[in-house]
Amino acid sequence: MLDAAQTTDVQAETLLEVNNIEVIYNHVILVLKGVSLTVPKGGITALLGGNGAGKTTTLKAVSNLLHSERGEVTKGSIKYRGTSVHESDPAVLVEKGVIQVMEGRHCFEHLTVEENLLTGAYTRKDGSAAIQQDLELVYNYFPRLKERRRSQAGYTSGGEQQMVAMGRALMSRPETILLDEPSMGLAPQLVEEIFGIVKDLNEKEGVSFLLAEQNTNVALRFAHYGYILESGRVVMDGPAAELRENPDVKEFYLGMSDEGRKSFRDVRSYRRRKRWL
Ligand SMILES: Nc1ncnc2c1ncn2[C@@H]1O[C@H](COP(=O)(O)OP(=O)(O)OP(=O)(O)O)[C@@H](O)[C@H]1O
Ligand SMILES: [Mg+2]
């Protein structure tokens, strides 16, 4: 059944459709227990939840990166623009315009910032002038990277490395970026800066995002729609503005409630009202 926001937005084309997937690691550990979500064109969709909820696993299932971790999608389907992408090679996804920015912002530490960015263009066949133009586009969004273009990536700050990872993804001219935990380990001001860039890329370049985040507060301020994962299941979803006002989300994920501020950490699962279950 469609809810109000989805019906009003029914024109938005669906890019990614994850339907009831189950993921098992090492043949026995059931981690995703039937996750469904959709990413519309032009949207920022947030996938929220605490440690171990299954956010990274969901993104890796989409981009077919589970095999190297002995993980497997054992049920359900994953479609991009209506075509099944489950079982296809990760490179096929990149060709379709879907690219993942991994958690922990993996850079090639011994390469310079600019060399790292250029590695993101390896699948492109449109020549060096176009690539050069996109390099300038990346520097336009990330002026700090232009300043540090000749620096060895391994010696740049955590925030700069996050920017390198995102800039490298942009160099493949993606339609959709799967962005895993961009706020991790960054100071609040830098988190704002990174999310501000995500918003700009979404609005000005039309890039769609599926954004995995533990930082519910910032993610719900920038995203249009959110899904909350707990122990491998979607326990709630809705337009970001509605989730921000939901009393349970406020109490358990935004650290505030009528009784006063409460940290998510202080809330043991047995104490949760879980009125959504
Ligand atoms: N390669 C693996 N083998 C076995 N279990 C795994 C593997 N990778 C992840 N898991 C388990 O799957 C569950 C979900 O992990 P996942 O990394 O998807 O969570 P997450 O929501 O991204 O958490 P975080 O916010 O800490 O990054 C966890 O219980 C984790 O221990
Ligand atoms: Mg993760």
Side-chain angles (χ1 to χ4, degrees):
M1 205 171 68
L2 291 175
D3 68 26
Q6 281 174 316
T7 37
T8 52
D9 210 11
V10 88
Q11 269 80 0
E13 194 181 347
T14 296
L15 290 180
L16 177 67
E17 203 180 341
V18 173
N19 186 20
N20 206 21
I21 58 165
E22 205 174 81
V23 168
I24 295 182
Y25 283 111
N26 293 314
H27 302 291
V28 285
I29 312 164
L30 178 64
V31 167
L32 297 189
K33 303 160 186 165
V35 169
S36 299
L37 57 88
T38 56
V39 176
K41 187 164 174 56
I44 300 177
T45 305
L47 188 55
L48 305 163
N51 280 121
K55 303 180 297 297
T56 299
T57 301
T58 305
L59 296 194
K60 286 186 174 170
V62 171
S63 46
N64 273 300
L65 295 171
L66 285 174
H67 288 298
S68 58
E69 303 203 21
R70 299 177 52 80
E72 210 185 339
V73 179
T74 48
K75 234 173 82 179
S77 65
I78 303 172
K79 288 180 180 169
Y80 194 77
R81 287 187 167 280
T83 310
S84 176
V85 290
H86 168 195
E87 301 281 288
S88 47
D89 191 84
V92 173
L93 264 292
V94 178
E95 273 166 31
K96 284 183 184 291
V98 187
I99 191 143
Q100 179 160 355
V101 178
M102 307 275 267
E103 190 176 37
R105 47 193 90 107
H106 302 274
C107 294
F108 298 105
E109 296 187 356
H110 301 289
L111 301 184
T112 66
V113 165
E114 186 155 301
E115 285 163 348
N116 264 279
L117 294 176
L118 289 171
T119 62
Y122 75 102
T123 52
R124 291 179 49 175
K125 300 172 181 80
D126 52 357
S128 59
I131 290 172
Q132 200 56 41
Q133 206 176 346
D134 284 351
L135 197 55
E136 285 310 315
L137 181 87
V138 170
Y139 287 144
N140 191 25
Y141 282 97
F142 301 97
R144 276 166 189 249
L145 296 187
K146 188 161 193 172
E147 287 165 28
R148 314 262 1 229
R149 67 205 289 177
R150 309 264 172 249
S151 307
Q152 198 173 316
Y155 294 126
T156 59
S157 72
E160 286 160 353
Q161 288 184 25
Q162 180 65 47
M163 293 177 188
V164 170
M166 289 167 67
R168 189 175 60 201
L170 275 180
M171 291 299 293
S172 70
R173 282 212 159 259
E175 179 173 56
T176 303
I177 296 183
L178 311 174
L179 184 55
D180 198 355
E181 213 89 55
S183 78
M184 195 166 65
L186 302 183
Q189 204 183 340
L190 208 50
V191 172
E192 289 294 320
E193 188 178 334
I194 299 269
F195 273 80
I197 295 168
V198 167
K199 183 167 184 271
D200 273 358
L201 288 170
N202 173 254
E203 288 174 359
K204 297 179 190 156
E205 307 298 324
V207 180
S208 305
F209 284 88
L210 177 58
L211 175 75
E213 256 303 339
Q214 280 199 28
N215 189 335
T216 311
N217 193 326
V218 72
L220 286 182
R221 273 193 290 118
F222 287 90
H224 304 113
Y225 199 89
Y227 292 85
I228 300 180
L229 267 186
E230 273 190 27
S231 310
R233 286 194 176 92
V234 175
V235 292
M236 196 189 280
D237 68 297
E242 279 175 27
L243 291 181
R244 276 203 308 268
E245 295 307 319
N246 180 292
D248 289 321
V249 176
K250 276 187 176 171
E251 179 170 4
F252 302 123
Y253 289 96
L254 298 174
M256 56 180 95
S257 71
D258 294 340
E259 301 109 72
R261 288 187 68 81
K262 209 182 265 182
S263 155
F264 177 55
R265 223 175 255 213
D266 298 335
V267 184
R268 294 280 174 267
S269 54
Y270 58 81
R271 289 191 51 220
R272 298 186 189 188
R273 289 195 300 270
K274 292 268 173 95
R275 69 162 79 109
W276 59 72
L277 291 181

